[in-house]
Amino acid sequence: MIPALRDAYRGLLDAAAGEFAEPPAGEWTADEVLAHVSIIDAVTLAAVSAVAAGENTTYDNRIAQDGWTLARVSALAGGRAGLRERIRLQGEALCTLASSLSEAELDTPVPARLLSGGTVLVDEPLPLRDLLTGLAGSELPGHTRQLLALRPG
């Protein structure tokens, strides 16, 4: 799982380098995509940290879809370059912390609410392992494709 997560971060960061065209109406800009990933990383790090500390936790990605929050996180990070560096560091931290967890910790059920485009995808407990696997196998690759689609030409 951790090698796949590292690879997913590498692919996203490679796609995040360079210039981007404006998205079609209603779609996110490259900066909004990166801010979203940064927030998802922070939420995931919080959940993994809580499990490592023996605490109860939840996982909710709704704040990572709020336009005002995306703009604020982007501004606070210093724009695209700052977001890329933040995501790089968050990815390293998440991979390091997750690799230290036991199988029992990875199997810890975490009440999760996951939305995409206003549609509820998950509203039930998931093992922490599944949240990490989803990040590596779906979330990060999906945003990598979004960024690549925004490349000019």
Side-chain angles (χ1 to χ4, degrees):
M1 166 187 39
I2 300 305
L5 190 56
R6 287 187 198 283
D7 289 346
Y9 275 109
R10 193 172 305 113
L12 179 98
L13 291 168
D14 287 348
E19 297 301 316
F20 297 94
E22 285 300 311
E27 298 291 324
W28 282 344
T29 65
D31 289 356
E32 288 170 322
V33 170
L34 294 174
H36 169 81
V37 170
S38 174
I39 296 167
I40 291 297
D41 287 350
V43 169
T44 307
L45 275 163
V48 172
S49 294
V51 168
E55 298 176 1
N56 292 324
T57 190
T58 61
Y59 190 94
D60 189 336
N61 75 343
R62 289 177 292 177
I63 193 68
Q65 298 180 31
D66 176 69
W68 183 90
T69 304
L70 295 175
R72 180 160 171 74
V73 166
S74 182
L76 291 172
R80 188 174 305 148
L83 287 167
R84 284 180 41 232
E85 180 63 5
R86 179 177 288 183
I87 290 167
R88 184 186 71 75
L89 293 170
Q90 287 172 322
E92 288 177 10
L94 184 57
C95 289
T96 300
L97 183 57
S99 68
S100 75
L101 297 180
S102 69
E103 293 298 313
E105 289 168 318
L106 289 169
D107 290 335
T108 300
V110 176
R113 180 167 292 128
L114 304 174
L115 280 73
S116 179
T119 301
V120 177
L121 302 177
V122 175
D123 192 8
E124 64 185 8
L126 292 175
L128 181 62
R129 171 190 322 277
D130 289 1
L131 294 171
L132 295 168
T133 301
L135 186 63
S138 180
E139 182 77 15
L140 294 175
H143 293 306
T144 299
R145 288 188 296 276
Q146 264 184 303
L147 290 170
L148 292 173
L150 292 173
R151 294 276 189 181

